Amino acid sequence: MKEIDRGSIRTVKLAVFFGTLAVLCVIGILLPRPAESEIEKRRLTEFPAFSWASFWDGSWFSGIDKWYADTYPLRETLIAGNKAVQGLYGIRTDVIVGGENGGEEIPDIEGGQGELPTLPKDDPGQEPDEPSRDGNVSGGGEMISGLYVSGNAGYGLYYFEQQNADWYAAILNEMEKRLEGKAQLYSMVAPLNSLLLSDELQKELHSSDQRQAIRYIYSRMAPGIKTVEVYDTLRSHVEEYLYFRTDHHWTALGAYYAYTRYAAAAGLTPHMLDQFERVEYPGFLGTYYSTSGIASLAGDPDTVIAYKPMGTNKMKMTMPDGTVYDWFVVNDVSDYGSSVKYGAFAGGDQPYNVVENPAITDGSACLVIKDSYGNALIPFLVDHYQYLYWIDFRYYKGSMYDLVAEKNIKDVLVLQQIYNTGTVGALKKLQALAER
């Protein structure tokens, strides 16, 4: 009797196993195959081109295997399910991804820093495409030194390097020297969201003190540069939704508080949040999730909240190939994929953009030299200038000085997240802009 029971159980198991395989096979054949992975932000493997050589050496069949596996319709669902199952074997609420080495000691600025830094004569760093010693975590063309995940939130870790901090200050000193008498240069260094963590936890994670690092960077800048300190302001609002949980950017609210500090430095009167039209785009899963693949981050997706400018929401966006589009400072991303909803702000990371505000007719003009942190700040600046220009230093190939002269720009704001003040690839691109 026992033998019959065992045989029956074995038969049922085999039937379930092969039945499941058959269903998955049918799904793989009938359902449309994706061309891109939203989670991994890459194009998936294409069906291999046939040739007799690849047929006879077997590489054509290997290519089909890779294409089938990489573009399976339920691939990302199965990956997510696998991560969830793995989590059942041992719940890990705190995880560090990459960069646990720590940064260098930040010099004390109380005694002064002596001679200000100038641009390096020789290449002081590794090539941009070489991996850093910290095992950096990518963030949509930007980087963070490491990622700390606690529950449903990720936190970018920062590690100070004095040579690169001086290099960043030297780049802005070069800009200030060439803009002297033509435009006022402002510097805003935006901290990563690990400022939301307690000082004690940041020390345990070996993350450098961002406040101290930013103050050091500013101390190395020429006195003609107006520095905008936002760390303390953001830290005073840590209970609010300043940064995304699943992405490395600040939210529009975090950018708003930074905007109020720029307004104070530039002699502008900031507008209140309730003066703007507020829009919301839920379901955002950003770079911390797509980079780490940690399933807990997907349990509580972010909401992109944006505030439309009052004078105009229209802008001109110039693509890398020179094509110009009519676009929106705050764009409707309701139908965008979950990983790209930060694209609601300022046209994303395009080389060159401009807004002309018809509500202002005094000829005022401002240029923002930015990374993607600047995108969320742009909507708040629109209502202070007749002309607002912004360029992404990574992609703009023109001369910033020619642009300032041609457009009669009087305010120039360089806004960078703190990691880009210390990574070689970003510094090389920013220096190239400063020297053109």
Side-chain angles (χ1 to χ4, degrees):
M1 182 69 177
K2 290 183 179 179
E3 291 297 324
I4 295 175
D5 290 341
R6 288 175 182 171
S8 299
I9 291 172
R10 189 184 308 113
T11 301
V12 171
K13 286 182 177 179
L14 288 173
V16 170
F17 175 75
F18 285 109
T20 301
L21 283 183
V23 170
L24 293 175
C25 237
V26 170
I27 290 174
I29 294 171
L30 296 182
L31 292 184
R33 291 180 171 272
E36 296 183 356
S37 170
E38 184 175 308
I39 290 179
E40 298 173 277
K41 295 185 178 179
R42 67 176 179 87
R43 288 196 61 80
L44 299 176
T45 303
E46 296 181 356
F47 191 87
F50 176 82
S51 70
W52 285 112
S54 63
F55 177 84
W56 292 115
D57 67 17
S59 61
W60 186 64
F61 298 99
S62 298
I64 292 177
D65 287 343
K66 184 177 180 182
W67 163 81
Y68 186 89
D70 204 35
T71 62
Y72 187 76
L74 299 181
R75 175 179 175 274
E76 294 192 352
T77 301
L78 293 172
I79 290 174
N82 179 56
K83 292 183 183 295
V85 171
Q86 289 176 359
L88 296 176
Y89 287 94
I91 297 174
R92 301 176 63 199
T93 57
D94 295 346
V95 182
I96 296 178
V97 181
E100 299 181 55
N101 296 328
E104 298 173 3
E105 183 177 352
I106 303 172
D108 181 7
I109 65 173
E110 296 305 321
Q113 296 303 313
E115 188 174 339
L116 294 178
T118 56
L119 293 178
K121 295 179 181 179
D122 301 317
D123 185 353
Q126 61 196 12
E127 289 302 313
D129 56 351
E130 290 182 6
S132 157
R133 63 179 176 85
D134 290 325
N136 298 315
V137 179
S138 175
E142 296 164 350
M143 307 287 284
I144 54 175
S145 301
L147 174 63
Y148 168 67
V149 177
S150 179
N152 64 352
Y155 301 90
L157 305 179
Y158 165 72
Y159 303 106
F160 175 80
E161 293 186 42
Q162 184 177 355
Q163 175 179 268
N164 289 349
D166 283 344
W167 185 3
Y168 181 77
I171 292 171
L172 268 73
N173 291 343
E174 175 69 15
M175 290 182 179
E176 195 273 338
K177 182 174 67 175
R178 295 180 62 174
L179 289 171
E180 187 177 4
K182 302 170 185 175
Q184 175 62 56
L185 183 64
Y186 299 83
S187 172
M188 181 189 293
V189 176
L192 301 176
N193 70 339
S194 50
L195 72 78
L196 302 176
L197 303 173
S198 68
D199 292 337
E200 293 73 21
L201 181 54
Q202 291 186 57
K203 288 179 182 178
E204 288 180 24
L205 297 171
H206 308 293
S207 182
S208 297
D209 185 327
Q210 295 184 81
R211 182 180 188 273
Q212 189 179 352
I214 292 170
R215 288 171 62 84
Y216 173 80
I217 293 169
Y218 286 169
S219 77
R220 303 293 279 150
M221 291 183 179
I225 300 173
K226 291 189 177 183
T227 56
V228 183
E229 298 206 29
V230 301
Y231 185 95
D232 288 346
T233 299
L234 293 171
R235 191 68 187 264
S236 68
H237 293 274
V238 291
E239 300 302 321
E240 300 176 43
Y241 193 27
L242 303 181
Y243 291 86
F244 297 112
R245 293 179 299 274
T246 70
D247 187 74
H248 71 290
H249 295 104
W250 53 17
T251 64
L253 182 60
Y256 172 78
Y257 288 127
Y259 145 74
T260 64
R261 301 311 306 150
Y262 170 75
L268 306 172
T269 301
H271 299 289
M272 304 300 291
L273 270 180
D274 59 11
Q275 293 179 259
F276 301 94
E277 179 188 350
R278 169 177 162 145
V279 291
E280 297 187 10
Y281 306 108
F284 176 42
L285 293 173
T287 52
Y288 288 165
Y289 173 64
S290 62
T291 300
S292 71
I294 295 175
S296 63
L297 293 177
D300 190 11
D302 283 296
T303 295
V304 174
I305 300 170
Y307 299 88
K308 292 184 178 180
M310 293 172 281
T312 182
N313 194 38
K314 296 179 180 180
M315 59 175 279
K316 295 284 187 182
M317 178 174 67
T318 302
M319 307 297 285
D321 64 1
T323 305
V324 179
Y325 289 99
D326 291 321
W327 206 250
F328 300 100
V329 179
V330 173
N331 190 45
D332 186 345
V333 294
S334 302
D335 296 331
Y336 282 31
S338 62
S339 65
V340 290
K341 289 184 181 290
Y342 187 74
F345 301 109
D349 298 332
Q350 305 306 332
Y352 174 75
N353 309 272
V354 60
V355 164
E356 180 177 356
N357 187 346
I360 302 174
T361 57
D362 60 3
S364 56
C366 175
L367 170 65
V368 180
I369 300 170
K370 62 150 200 87
D371 57 21
S372 61
Y373 262 58
N375 300 355
L377 187 86
I378 291 296
F380 300 116
L381 297 180
V382 169
D383 290 302
H384 291 284
Y385 298 95
Q386 182 175 352
Y387 301 97
L388 181 63
Y389 305 90
W390 60 100
I391 60 177
D392 193 304
F393 78 99
R394 297 163 295 183
Y395 312 115
Y396 185 71
K397 302 304 181 184
S399 164
M400 58 172 283
Y401 309 107
D402 289 347
L403 184 61
V404 167
E406 177 187 345
K407 305 299 185 182
N408 196 29
I409 294 169
K410 297 304 180 185
D411 290 337
V412 177
L413 169 63
V414 180
L415 193 170
Q416 303 289 310
Q417 62 128 316
I418 192 170
Y419 188 81
N420 278 341
T421 69
T423 183
V424 172
L427 290 169
K428 286 185 174 182
K429 291 178 180 178
L430 193 61
Q431 177 172 334
L433 176 65
E435 293 182 319
R436 280 199 290 271

